[in-house]
Amino acid sequence: MKLIIKNILACLVLVLTSLALIKNSVAAEYLVGSQQEYRQVTKKLKAGDVLVLKNGVWKDFEIVFKGKGTKANPITLTAETKGKVILSGLSNLRIAGEYLIVKGLVFKDGYTPTNEVISFKYNSKELAHNSRVTEVVIDEYSNPDRFESDYWVGMYGQNNRFDHSFLRGKRNKGVTMAVRLNTKESQENRHRIDHNYFGPRPIFGSNGGETLRIGTSHYSLSNSYTLVENNYFDRCDGEVEIISVKSGKNILRNNVFFESQGTLTLRHGNGNLVESNLFIGNGVNHTGGIRVINKDQIIRNNYLSGLTGSRFGSGFTIMNGVPNSKINRYHQVENALIENNTFIDIDNIHLAAGADSERTAAPINSVFKRNLLVNQSKQTPFSIFDDISGIKFSDNLANFNLSKINSGFVSKKAIELNKDANGLLVANSKNYGAQLDFVIDKAKTGPTWYDKSDLAKQFDSGKLVKVSPADSALSKAVSAASSGDIIELESGEYVVSKILMLNKVLTIKAADNANVVVYPERSTLFEIQNFGALKIDGLTISGLKAPDSSGNTLIRTQKWGMFYNYQLTVINSRVIDLDINHSYHFFDAGSRSFADHITIKNSVFKNITGDFLRLNKETDDLGIYNAEYVTLKDNEFDNIGGALLDLYRGGTDESTFGPHAYVKGNKIHNIGHSKRNKINAAIKLHGVQQSYVSGNQFTQSELIKVEHTVGDPVTEIENNQFTATAKPEAVELVFKQASTAKITNNTYQ
């Protein structure tokens, strides 16, 4: 009997132990509503557990998510409702361990306090492996200091996935997303980056605006084996490299690049595959395709259309290399295979690009075959900068003359094209060009629950606000307006006793046939701040009531700290009598401010003692500048003491496209003679990449000075009339060669 009881007790203990083990192995779900609760729960997480953040705004939350899940039972961090958990202020996320999943979170209204918003590591020793971040949003989550660098996503470890996420509007320095190979544990990582929406990244105006980078030059001879597929790159315009591949054995396939300025660049590393990607430029300026550098690159079955870019940002580029190149320079193109790609309406295909006294190693042992090239203009897009005998051309089809390339092309005046199931034009013969099985739709990328509509307000997109003359009428209207509104002024005088601070997009215009005169009483009439942009239409602005002091400025940006690009447009207007004292400027850009466009058209400017456009603050020569596009067209400028335009871009960095200056059809009289005009010029263009000065009448004005410093600048000064004005001067400050400026068909009296 005792033995029986003993056995029964033993069985009971075994059952109870088994039940305890079963209980302990059952995954738990924890709903937490505070950072303190979160930290308490994370101490006891085990495989299969789910940690849920309550809906709401979590401010200044530095999330650390560590644990060891299993393939069958990962540990999950998620939102109570996807998209309803907002990480704001100084928040970020670090994950480390095995088989972790994070999903449904939104980062906005703040910026990371560390180097990364989302990091697949806790520290240099604790990395994430076999983990996934999915359906996460980082929206306009930029450091307010434009040149304080950070990443939004840093991938470390191995076998991690980042997918179905949304990244939009990075405005400060630093790549949007980076795959890091800086330790052995992060090399040959086999990460997967897929089905993400990389939303608009504005022009940065300096190096450091890439959207995705895989590796760095220091580790570029290591292999990454990262897969980048089925992502949508929507107007990613940060700099010349949209994707910068700086490692080996990566696959980039089935991605869409929509109206993005720049290229997918194989900058460092060997043996990468670029396959079945779609590049749609729609004729947008500086849209590019693929740039090839290094060994054993395969570029096949890609479709490129409507790309306007040139040089390093062209529709397709094969670079020259540096003999015995250092790891961070340009390795020679060798054994590149470029096959079955389609090029339709591509402005530029550059071969042996970048050839100079350093980059003398032309491409070798490479093949360009079975590609389809069609241009409506019937003009060849090819430009050849060095020996291309190392590229074998065979069995390509084109509708233009290939006199620059001796063989390897079948040229036909007419090539029949038909639309495929994706709506893309393809040749009847499948021997030529790309055949894409499918094209990823924007709607299939990013979280389905997050709106991809543009946030940016456009001029004249809001309501019409009518204003009559009265005390403080304009100031009150500006204060009450919403972004995109149009403030329409009735006839009369408007005396403005305050500086009008613009942190919204506004149009201020005269009503039809109205005679409107605006008198500023402060040293500045308009200050453009973050989120602001200004359009003036049909106004007369007089400086007669401005303070009698030197250094007034009619329009300026905030003096420091802008991280939003802005626009300024003045049309059909008159600005007069900015001459109550010396150095009264029309417009002055603050340090580190950046304009997408400054456009002045069909307007009159008379009696200004200072400069007209001061875009000259970035004199530290780091490749930074104050405006991308500056257009002066069909205006009258009379009696301006300082410079009409001082546009400065210093340094020798080649990562950007601008600035661009267009000065066309203006009447320019008595400009630049003030003793305080330190540049002794009416127009000075330093480091400007594209300058077109044409059809202007210059009378009794200082000269035009052009200084080339970097890249392959294009300067055309043509069909102008110079009366009692010195001839333009153009110099090469770096290249030590004859000026490449085209100064032709001008008349001098």
Side-chain angles (χ1 to χ4, degrees):
M1 179 64 70
K2 290 182 179 180
L3 181 61
I4 294 174
I5 294 173
K6 184 177 181 180
N7 289 336
I8 292 173
L9 291 174
C11 291
L12 183 60
V13 169
L14 181 62
V15 169
L16 292 173
T17 302
S18 299
L19 289 173
L21 290 172
I22 292 172
K23 181 179 179 181
N24 288 335
S25 67
V26 173
E29 181 173 307
Y30 302 94
L31 178 65
V32 298
S34 71
Q35 295 187 35
Q36 182 179 0
E37 289 179 8
Y38 176 87
R39 287 188 287 270
Q40 290 173 347
V41 169
T42 54
K43 295 176 182 178
K44 56 185 178 182
L45 290 175
K46 59 185 183 299
D49 284 354
V50 178
L51 178 52
V52 182
L53 301 182
K54 284 186 178 180
N55 292 345
V57 176
W58 295 66
K59 189 175 181 181
D60 301 336
F61 188 12
E62 297 189 53
I63 304 174
V64 175
F65 184 49
K66 298 197 292 185
K68 289 192 177 294
T70 66
K71 187 174 183 179
N73 294 290
I75 303 173
T76 301
L77 171 64
T78 188
E80 182 180 12
T81 304
K82 292 177 183 178
K84 300 296 185 182
V85 172
I86 311 299
L87 285 308
S88 71
L90 300 176
S91 297
N92 61 12
L93 167 67
R94 289 179 289 168
I95 66 174
E98 295 274 353
Y99 294 103
L100 306 174
I101 296 176
V102 178
K103 59 184 177 181
L105 309 180
V106 176
F107 290 87
K108 67 178 184 179
D109 301 326
Y111 60 96
T112 177
T114 56
N115 289 331
E116 293 151 332
V117 180
I118 296 176
S119 181
F120 282 75
K121 69 171 185 177
Y122 174 66
N123 56 34
S124 61
K125 295 182 179 180
E126 297 180 78
L127 312 180
H129 299 277
N130 304 301
S131 295
R132 181 184 184 190
V133 174
T134 183
E135 292 188 274
V136 165
V137 171
I138 308 178
D139 195 1
E140 299 279 348
Y141 201 67
S142 295
N143 193 300
D145 183 341
R146 277 172 58 85
F147 288 90
E148 184 65 41
S149 182
D150 58 43
Y151 304 152
W152 276 5
V153 180
M155 295 193 78
Y156 303 83
Q158 294 178 336
N159 301 310
N160 295 313
R161 185 182 181 191
F162 185 83
D163 67 285
H164 292 89
S165 291
F166 179 110
L167 308 176
R168 174 176 64 187
K170 192 173 195 298
R171 299 177 182 276
N172 65 307
K173 185 176 182 179
V175 61
T176 305
M177 181 174 185
V179 176
R180 300 301 310 276
L181 279 67
N182 53 334
T183 64
K184 185 177 180 180
E185 291 77 15
S186 293
Q187 295 167 11
E188 299 190 4
N189 53 69
R190 291 177 170 80
H191 294 321
R192 185 182 178 195
I193 301 168
D194 66 287
H195 294 88
N196 300 293
Y197 175 73
F198 291 93
R201 176 158 192 181
I203 297 170
F204 185 56
S206 174
N207 186 21
E210 305 99 324
T211 295
L212 172 62
R213 190 184 70 215
I214 306 173
T216 58
S217 59
H218 187 75
Y219 298 96
S220 59
L221 297 182
S222 301
N223 293 325
S224 185
Y225 292 104
T226 295
L227 173 61
V228 181
E229 65 177 353
N230 299 320
N231 301 285
Y232 198 95
F233 294 86
D234 186 2
R235 292 162 288 167
C236 295
D237 300 337
E239 61 148 91
V240 72
E241 296 180 7
I242 305 166
I243 296 180
S244 183
V245 177
K246 295 184 175 181
S247 54
K249 300 295 185 181
N250 300 290
I251 298 174
L252 301 100
R253 68 186 179 202
N254 299 330
N255 302 289
V256 173
F257 298 82
F258 179 77
E259 295 184 2
S260 292
Q261 298 184 32
T263 64
L264 187 167
T265 301
L266 302 175
R267 183 63 183 87
H268 297 299
N270 304 314
N272 294 289
L273 172 62
V274 180
E275 181 178 44
S276 301
N277 299 285
L278 175 63
F279 296 80
I280 299 295
N282 288 331
V284 172
N285 207 15
H286 298 304
T287 46
I290 301 166
R291 181 157 61 118
V292 183
I293 312 166
N294 311 303
K295 296 180 180 179
D296 304 325
Q297 314 288 25
I298 299 174
I299 298 93
R300 69 184 178 207
N301 203 50
N302 298 285
Y303 192 103
L304 305 95
S305 175
L307 305 176
T308 65
S310 61
R311 200 171 179 263
F312 293 178
S314 65
F316 191 79
T317 307
I318 300 177
M319 290 284 295
N320 254 28
V322 177
N324 302 312
S325 175
K326 295 179 180 179
I327 197 168
N328 66 335
R329 290 301 293 150
Y330 287 85
H331 288 230
Q332 186 176 30
V333 173
E334 181 177 353
N335 195 36
L337 175 61
I338 301 146
E339 64 176 350
N340 286 105
N341 301 286
T342 293
F343 303 91
I344 293 184
D345 292 330
I346 305 301
D347 284 3
N348 293 288
I349 296 176
H350 286 184
L351 305 180
D356 58 17
S357 59
E358 180 198 24
R359 291 181 290 234
T360 60
I364 58 174
N365 302 326
S366 296
V367 175
F368 189 98
K369 66 180 183 180
R370 293 196 299 273
N371 298 289
L372 173 67
L373 303 98
V374 177
N375 274 2
Q376 293 182 32
S377 66
K378 303 293 180 72
Q379 299 296 313
T380 178
F382 285 97
S383 295
I384 300 169
F385 299 91
D386 202 347
D387 177 20
I388 60 167
S389 61
I391 305 174
K392 181 181 178 181
F393 297 88
S394 66
D395 201 24
N396 301 286
L397 180 61
N399 75 330
F400 44 79
N401 185 285
L402 268 297
S403 58
K404 295 182 178 181
I405 302 173
N406 294 327
S407 62
F409 282 82
V410 176
S411 295
K412 293 184 177 181
K413 291 184 178 180
I415 297 175
E416 185 176 350
L417 301 175
N418 297 299
K419 287 188 176 182
D420 67 4
N422 300 305
L424 304 176
L425 293 173
V426 296
N428 284 340
S429 172
K430 292 187 177 181
N431 292 330
Y432 301 105
Q435 303 286 332
L436 301 187
D437 293 334
F438 73 98
V439 173
I440 189 70
D441 188 84
K442 182 168 74 170
K444 300 294 185 181
T445 61
T448 58
W449 41 263
Y450 202 81
D451 187 7
K452 298 182 181 70
S453 300
D454 285 352
L455 292 177
K457 289 287 186 179
Q458 303 299 318
F459 286 129
D460 308 327
S461 61
K463 63 183 180 296
L464 180 67
V465 180
K466 295 187 176 182
V467 178
S468 299
D471 184 43
S472 302
L474 181 54
S475 300
K476 291 176 180 177
V478 167
S479 178
S482 299
S483 199
D485 285 356
I486 307 159
I487 297 175
E488 185 178 85
L489 305 181
E490 300 295 335
S491 289
E493 295 184 351
Y494 295 79
V495 178
V496 182
S497 59
K498 299 178 180 179
I499 298 175
L500 302 180
M501 306 294 189
L502 298 181
N503 59 1
K504 60 194 80 170
V505 178
L506 287 184
T507 296
I508 301 176
K509 63 174 292 187
D512 292 345
N513 302 314
N515 181 17
V516 174
V517 183
V518 178
Y519 294 99
E521 289 189 327
R522 297 292 303 277
S523 61
T524 293
L525 176 58
F526 295 106
E527 180 177 286
I528 300 173
Q529 302 178 336
N530 282 316
F531 312 102
L534 174 63
K535 178 180 177 182
I536 295 172
D537 183 359
L539 306 185
T540 295
I541 302 176
S542 170
L544 289 178
K545 298 180 185 296
D548 185 3
S549 58
S550 61
N552 293 335
T553 302
L554 189 71
I555 305 171
R556 72 187 186 204
T557 69
Q558 65 186 66
K559 296 178 181 180
W560 179 262
M562 287 193 73
F563 60 97
Y564 263 74
N565 298 2
Y566 68 93
Q567 295 186 47
L568 171 65
T569 298
V570 179
I571 56 176
N572 309 315
S573 296
R574 296 176 72 242
V575 176
I576 58 175
D577 300 330
L578 306 186
D579 60 357
I580 196 165
N581 208 314
H582 72 77
S583 305
Y584 197 154
H585 310 300
F586 172 73
F587 177 80
D588 197 5
S591 296
R592 299 312 196 240
S593 66
F594 189 79
D596 285 327
H597 296 273
I598 293 177
T599 303
I600 315 290
K601 291 183 178 180
N602 301 310
S603 296
V604 175
F605 302 89
K606 187 173 183 179
N607 298 333
I608 299 174
T609 58
D611 300 321
F612 186 70
L613 291 181
R614 294 163 58 88
L615 301 164
N616 56 1
K617 297 301 186 298
E618 313 303 348
T619 55
D620 41 11
D621 292 347
L622 298 174
I624 306 168
Y625 50 102
N626 289 126
E628 188 70 16
Y629 292 92
V630 179
T631 301
L632 305 177
K633 185 177 181 182
D634 299 331
N635 303 290
E636 294 184 25
F637 299 99
D638 185 17
N639 193 27
I640 297 176
L644 180 64
L645 172 61
D646 186 0
L647 180 55
Y648 189 96
R649 176 194 190 275
T652 57
D653 177 71
E654 298 178 289
S655 301
T656 55
F657 298 112
H660 308 70
Y662 303 93
V663 183
K664 298 184 177 183
N666 302 284
K667 294 180 179 180
I668 300 169
H669 173 256
N670 193 27
I671 308 297
H673 294 308
S674 169
K675 64 181 181 181
R676 294 179 175 85
N677 180 8
K678 296 180 181 180
I679 63 173
N680 298 315
I683 295 175
K684 183 178 179 182
L685 305 172
H686 179 97
V688 177
Q689 294 300 287
Q690 293 189 18
S691 306
Y692 300 92
V693 182
S694 65
N696 303 285
Q697 298 176 23
F698 289 84
T699 307
Q700 296 177 354
S701 295
E702 288 287 348
L703 79 168
I704 300 171
K705 288 184 180 180
V706 178
E707 297 172 345
H708 290 169
T709 62
V710 66
D712 293 324
V714 176
T715 297
E716 296 180 3
I717 302 174
E718 301 180 301
N719 302 311
N720 301 284
Q721 179 180 317
F722 295 94
T723 302
T725 301
K727 292 183 179 181
E729 292 181 357
V731 296
E732 308 290 322
L733 294 185
V734 173
F735 309 123
K736 297 181 181 179
Q737 63 188 36
S739 172
T740 58
K742 184 178 180 182
I743 304 176
T744 59
N745 299 323
N746 300 292
T747 61
Y748 303 92
Q749 298 177 4

